[in-house]
Amino acid sequence: MRTLYHFPLDPNCRIIRLMLGEKRLDFREAPPSMPVPDAPVMEIPTLEDVNGAQFPYMMVIAEYLDESYPEPPLIGRDIIERAEARRLTNYFAVDMGGRVTKPILFEKVQKPMARLGAPDSTTMRTAVQLSTKYLSAIEELYEHRNWIAGGSYSLADIAAVAQISVLDYVDLIEWDRYPVLRRWYARVKSRRAMEAILADRIDGLPPPKHYSNVDF
Amino acid sequence: MRTLYHFPLDPNCRIIRLMLGEKRLDFREAPPSMPVPDAPVMEIPTLEDVNGAQFPYMMVIAEYLDESYPEPPLIGRDIIERAEARRLTNYFAVDMGGRVTKPILFEKVQKPMARLGAPDSTTMRTAVQLSTKYLSAIEELYEHRNWIAGGSYSLADIAAVAQISVLDYVDLIEWDRYPVLRRWYARVKSRRAMEAILADRIDGLPPPKHYSNVDF
């Protein structure tokens, strides 16, 4: 059985869950295996495919999945569109993920769960301010293209929605300020692969009511 | 003319220079364009190809080059070998780069150049201690395979040599402790694509004598 080791709200894990969903590939979900002393900590996400081979790192899994299960292609159709899909995937998954989503996830979700105290207001303010740049970038791209990286729904959209859906879970997106982003996200939300993402619930931290509403 | 915007000792830039060298692609070198107020800072490395298209981010450039100029293939020949090449590229370029090479480069090269004072001894000690894990990993891989990721010289070797060559420039590798690593690196050093890397010199910071010696 194909197994994905993941955390529900981790954006890189959501990217792989969404890719598996778009390609209609069944998988069993598992939490990361508990590290034993002296053993290396498991990378999250890690995918174990039906052939038993294990793949760590989001982008390694993404390229592997698109090569092994080519339909539908999610990293673009020609060389330039593929480079653009990868560029935007890096932009959202690494840049936005590292500077916005991960700090917010740590302050708003991991700190309370680990009883490490209240969110740090400076970290939160900085991350929220930075988020506007990435949210505007999605609007800019979607105003000029059918999907973010070009003609087709791609890993770039998936990388962006992985961040947006996490920020929306903690109710940090002022949707009224981003009408184009909202149109794009409403269209993404309707995709079948999104059902699992919109069903995620963290104990003691419910999302806002509109979170799982496709017509929000 | 093809242009690579890069810094000489930056490991991710070295990866792209080595790829271009292996594929025998001519390019003009340029420093990153000076940021003007309110303009985004240029990502390094950025490649401008002969078609005028610009690509930022090491891995985006690497995938683009391997798709546009397939000979010799540098990301493996079948799907599993490609996943392994990408996994190890991430391991050396992101993990080792972020935890070992970049901190050492900052303390030993960038701080002196910017007159920011002496290297921090705790940061240096931690990075050097961590480096042993990655150097041993290269030895482990090379004892069982023709090249690091499998049968052919690949991006995984290039990602590892980008770190090793920088650490060697600042004379931080105790070669006598790593006989297998030394055999692998001597073989890599003989490749024509390495000539430009071994010719790098930073003003006021000469490398050790053995640095550019292929039979070291």
Side-chain angles (χ1 to χ4, degrees):
Chain A
M1 181 60 174
R2 187 179 292 116
T3 304
L4 180 69
Y5 299 89
H6 79 107
F7 294 123
L9 281 192
D10 181 278
N12 281 345
C13 296
R14 287 191 158 194
I15 292 174
I16 301 304
R17 291 162 71 199
L18 287 168
M19 267 196 103
L20 290 164
E22 291 290 336
K23 291 178 182 289
R24 308 279 164 109
L25 297 169
D26 288 331
F27 63 102
R28 187 176 71 92
E29 303 184 30
S33 53
M34 278 294 121
V36 292
D38 296 327
V41 178
M42 186 179 225
E43 282 290 333
I44 294 300
T46 285
L47 177 73
E48 184 176 310
D49 204 358
V50 285
N51 53 15
Q54 280 197 2
F55 306 97
Y57 304 125
M58 179 278 286
M59 203 61 197
V60 173
I61 306 171
E63 298 278 358
Y64 166 77
L65 286 175
D66 221 40
E67 291 183 357
S68 296
Y69 307 98
E71 290 304 323
L74 291 173
I75 312 188
R77 288 161 199 268
D78 64 52
I79 291 179
I80 296 292
E81 198 171 276
R82 288 169 68 77
E84 179 68 347
R86 292 187 181 111
R87 177 183 79 82
L88 291 169
T89 300
N90 197 96
Y91 182 70
F92 292 113
V94 181
D95 289 4
M96 183 180 181
R99 303 171 73 199
V100 175
T101 321
K102 278 179 202 169
I104 287 174
L105 209 48
F106 180 72
E107 297 296 333
K108 294 278 282 186
V109 180
Q110 289 159 327
K111 264 171 87 167
M113 282 174 73
R115 298 177 195 276
L116 291 171
D120 178 75
S121 59
T122 308
T123 305
M124 283 299 295
R125 193 164 45 239
T126 306
V128 170
Q129 270 169 6
L130 275 170
S131 73
T132 60
K133 171 183 147 186
Y134 298 96
L135 303 180
S136 303
I138 297 172
E139 294 213 300
E140 174 82 11
L141 290 161
Y142 193 57
E143 274 194 312
H144 296 93
R145 294 172 171 176
N146 188 39
W147 287 104
I148 285 182
S152 331
Y153 188 72
S154 81
L155 191 57
D157 297 279
I158 289 175
V161 81
Q163 318 305 318
I164 299 302
S165 63
V166 170
L167 298 186
D168 195 37
Y169 190 99
V170 292
D171 206 9
L172 278 179
I173 299 187
E174 297 176 56
W175 287 108
D176 291 344
R177 285 180 59 194
Y178 300 100
V180 180
L181 180 73
R182 188 178 196 143
R183 280 209 306 280
W184 168 81
Y185 190 50
R187 191 174 165 208
V188 171
K189 267 184 157 180
S190 313
R191 299 180 77 89
R192 202 180 81 173
M194 280 294 288
E195 281 174 20
I197 301 297
L198 299 178
D200 277 340
R201 293 293 178 274
I202 303 293
D203 279 350
L205 188 80
K209 279 229 173 70
H210 70 261
Y211 172 74
S212 43
N213 181 2
V214 174
D215 303 305
F216 69 117
Chain B
M1 181 61 175
R2 188 180 292 115
T3 304
L4 181 68
Y5 298 89
H6 80 106
F7 294 123
L9 281 191
D10 181 279
N12 281 345
C13 294
R14 289 193 157 193
I15 292 174
I16 301 305
R17 289 162 72 199
L18 287 168
M19 270 195 101
L20 290 164
E22 291 290 336
K23 290 177 182 290
R24 308 279 163 110
L25 297 170
D26 289 330
F27 62 103
R28 187 175 70 92
E29 303 184 29
S33 53
M34 279 294 120
V36 291
D38 296 328
V41 178
M42 185 180 227
E43 283 290 331
I44 293 300
T46 285
L47 177 73
E48 183 175 310
D49 204 357
V50 285
N51 52 16
Q54 281 198 1
F55 306 97
Y57 303 126
M58 180 278 287
M59 203 61 196
V60 174
I61 305 172
E63 299 279 358
Y64 166 78
L65 286 175
D66 222 40
E67 290 183 357
S68 295
Y69 306 98
E71 290 305 323
L74 291 173
I75 312 188
R77 288 160 198 272
D78 62 53
I79 291 180
I80 295 293
E81 199 172 274
R82 288 168 69 77
E84 180 66 348
R86 291 187 181 110
R87 177 183 79 83
L88 291 170
T89 300
N90 197 95
Y91 183 69
F92 292 113
V94 181
D95 289 3
M96 182 180 182
R99 301 172 74 199
V100 175
T101 320
K102 277 179 203 168
I104 287 175
L105 209 48
F106 179 72
E107 297 295 334
K108 294 278 281 187
V109 181
Q110 290 160 327
K111 265 171 86 169
M113 282 174 74
R115 298 175 194 277
L116 291 171
D120 179 75
S121 60
T122 308
T123 306
M124 283 299 296
R125 195 165 44 241
T126 306
V128 170
Q129 270 170 5
L130 276 170
S131 73
T132 62
K133 170 182 147 188
Y134 298 96
L135 303 179
S136 303
I138 297 172
E139 293 214 299
E140 174 81 14
L141 290 161
Y142 193 56
E143 274 195 313
H144 297 93
R145 293 171 173 179
N146 188 39
W147 286 105
I148 286 183
S152 333
Y153 188 72
S154 80
L155 191 59
D157 297 280
I158 290 175
V161 80
Q163 317 304 318
I164 300 302
S165 62
V166 170
L167 298 185
D168 196 36
Y169 191 99
V170 293
D171 206 10
L172 278 180
I173 299 188
E174 298 177 54
W175 287 107
D176 291 345
R177 287 179 59 193
Y178 301 99
V180 180
L181 179 73
R182 188 177 195 142
R183 279 209 305 282
W184 167 81
Y185 191 49
R187 191 174 165 208
V188 172
K189 268 184 158 182
S190 312
R191 300 179 77 88
R192 202 179 83 173
M194 279 294 287
E195 281 174 20
I197 301 297
L198 299 178
D200 277 341
R201 293 294 178 273
I202 303 293
D203 279 349
L205 189 82
K209 279 230 176 67
H210 69 262
Y211 172 73
S212 43
N213 181 3
V214 173
D215 303 306
F216 69 117

